[in-house]
Amino acid sequence: MAADTNQTGTMPMSKPLVPTLSPGKKPPQKQKPLCPGRRILYMIQLNLTPDFLLEIKNSNTNLWRLLRVTKVGKSEDWGSFLVKIQRLQTYIPFATLRYVAILHDFNAFLAEQAMHFVFRQWHVEGEWYDLDDANRNRLQDRFSVYEKRRGTSHFPRQIRVIRTECQGHFYVASFDWDEAARDVINGIINNPALDLEWRFICQQMLCSKIGSTTDLNERGSNFIWVVCFANVKYFAIQHQTICAEEQRLHDSHFWSGAGEWYYVFYPEDEEDIIRQYKNNPPVYDRW
């Protein structure tokens, strides 16, 4: 279903490269467990280089602000923090996440609320804030006597769907970038003079998540919790064996290099998928 090329020229000629570790860079190491009673206040950002963000800023300051946002939140312990950052990464295919985790012994809820209050004038959406380096350092300074851990997440592996028979919807979801943002993204993709890694990131920004769920509202709430930089549009089709259909769609599209995210061409692939399930009218909506 997914072709090697399309008329817009915005997709790769072959299966895209998956980012690899730089020479000499060690793979992520498991963190040692925290001492009992230590809680976590964290800051999470998209792991995008300053040069890439500057290229975006020069073309579209609104998109630049959205891509440099910082999530300020809490976790009760290290294990729950790792689950949270893995969950975040599941819904963001174009950038890994870098974080600063502050280990403290205050009331977790009150510590988080205090930071949200301090940064209220830079609030974007949910727990996401438009913070510069000075404000991020300001947060760290308030907890200067406490241990801090820094790290970077990694993209989830390609998922093989477990073939269980269940009813629900399988869906194809993608970021609903506005026209100005999409022009910037496509402009970078189609400019061979720019860094190859930047072009790859922008290709991933146009990818689609192919998944399945027994509850579209619940799946939508996951997207809403994670994403503040764009709305998410999707079409979903009800089916008796959603897992099998999801896997079939995975197998027929180029993998982006991140979890359930694939290259889906619009409108060609969308029309092709819908045509195959003509007896099951699609649901179109946004999360």
Side-chain angles (χ1 to χ4, degrees):
M1 290 161 45
D4 288 343
T5 59
N6 72 351
Q7 294 178 352
T8 63
T10 60
M11 289 299 162
M13 294 295 293
S14 60
K15 188 172 182 179
L17 296 174
V18 178
T20 57
L21 294 171
S22 302
K25 186 175 180 180
K26 296 181 179 179
Q29 301 294 317
K30 290 185 177 180
Q31 295 283 353
K32 296 180 180 179
L34 298 182
C35 298
R38 303 300 294 276
R39 301 173 182 88
I40 293 175
L41 185 69
Y42 62 77
M43 293 183 291
I44 297 174
Q45 296 173 267
L46 301 178
N47 190 27
L48 299 170
T49 66
D51 287 343
F52 174 78
L53 290 174
L54 181 60
E55 180 69 23
I56 297 291
K57 182 181 181 181
N58 290 337
S59 301
N60 188 318
T61 54
N62 184 57
L63 180 59
W64 165 72
R65 288 192 181 95
L66 293 175
L67 293 180
R68 73 170 199 154
V69 290
T70 302
K71 184 174 177 63
V72 179
K74 64 175 175 61
S75 285
E76 289 297 330
D77 52 49
W78 188 254
S80 61
F81 171 72
L82 291 180
V83 169
K84 184 169 289 189
I85 200 168
Q86 289 168 2
R87 182 182 170 199
L88 278 166
Q89 189 67 81
T90 299
Y91 294 93
I92 302 176
F94 60 87
T96 54
L97 305 171
R98 64 174 179 266
Y99 61 83
V100 177
I102 303 169
L103 288 59
H104 64 87
D105 50 14
F106 296 109
N107 178 286
F109 175 78
L110 294 179
E112 178 190 41
Q113 291 302 303
M115 291 302 98
H116 287 178
F117 179 79
V118 168
F119 297 134
R120 64 192 182 283
Q121 70 185 90
W122 297 284
H123 181 249
V124 177
E125 187 174 330
E127 293 183 335
W128 295 92
Y129 295 81
D130 182 15
L131 305 182
D132 56 16
D133 289 340
N135 276 319
R136 283 188 288 271
N137 291 336
R138 182 182 176 191
L139 187 152
Q140 295 182 65
D141 290 344
R142 286 175 176 261
F143 294 85
S144 58
V145 299
Y146 291 94
E147 179 186 351
K148 301 174 184 65
R149 293 186 178 181
R150 294 171 172 82
T152 305
S153 67
H154 58 276
F155 290 119
R157 294 175 297 176
Q158 189 172 18
I159 295 174
R160 301 298 299 179
V161 182
I162 299 175
R163 296 297 183 90
T164 56
E165 298 297 327
C166 59
Q167 301 182 34
H169 290 84
F170 63 88
Y171 62 86
V172 180
S174 59
F175 297 117
D176 190 19
W177 305 105
D178 63 37
E179 185 176 354
R182 186 171 288 272
D183 286 344
V184 172
I185 294 167
N186 280 322
I188 293 176
I189 291 173
N190 292 319
N191 188 346
L194 293 178
D195 188 285
L196 182 61
E197 182 68 17
W198 297 0
R199 297 169 68 195
F200 175 76
I201 290 169
C202 287
Q203 286 175 345
Q204 290 176 302
M205 292 171 75
L206 300 180
C207 286
S208 297
K209 189 177 190 299
I210 299 175
S212 61
T213 180
T214 57
D215 187 342
L216 283 174
N217 291 329
E218 184 272 337
R219 186 57 47 91
S221 68
N222 290 339
F223 269 104
I224 293 170
W225 174 69
V226 171
V227 178
C228 77
F229 38 79
N231 292 324
V232 175
K233 63 180 180 179
Y234 71 90
F235 68 91
I237 296 176
Q238 192 169 20
H239 203 274
Q240 298 294 318
T241 56
I242 56 175
C243 295
E245 298 310 307
E246 176 189 356
Q247 185 60 61
R248 191 180 65 79
L249 291 179
H250 286 187
D251 293 340
S252 59
H253 290 82
F254 282 129
W255 183 46
S256 73
E260 293 183 327
W261 291 85
Y262 291 79
Y263 291 103
V264 176
F265 301 122
Y266 292 91
E268 298 93 335
D269 281 359
E270 175 187 1
E271 294 172 351
D272 186 45
I273 292 170
I274 292 172
R275 185 164 51 248
Q276 294 176 55
Y277 299 94
K278 59 184 178 181
N279 294 326
N280 303 65
V283 175
Y284 287 89
D285 208 340
R286 280 176 169 79
W287 285 320

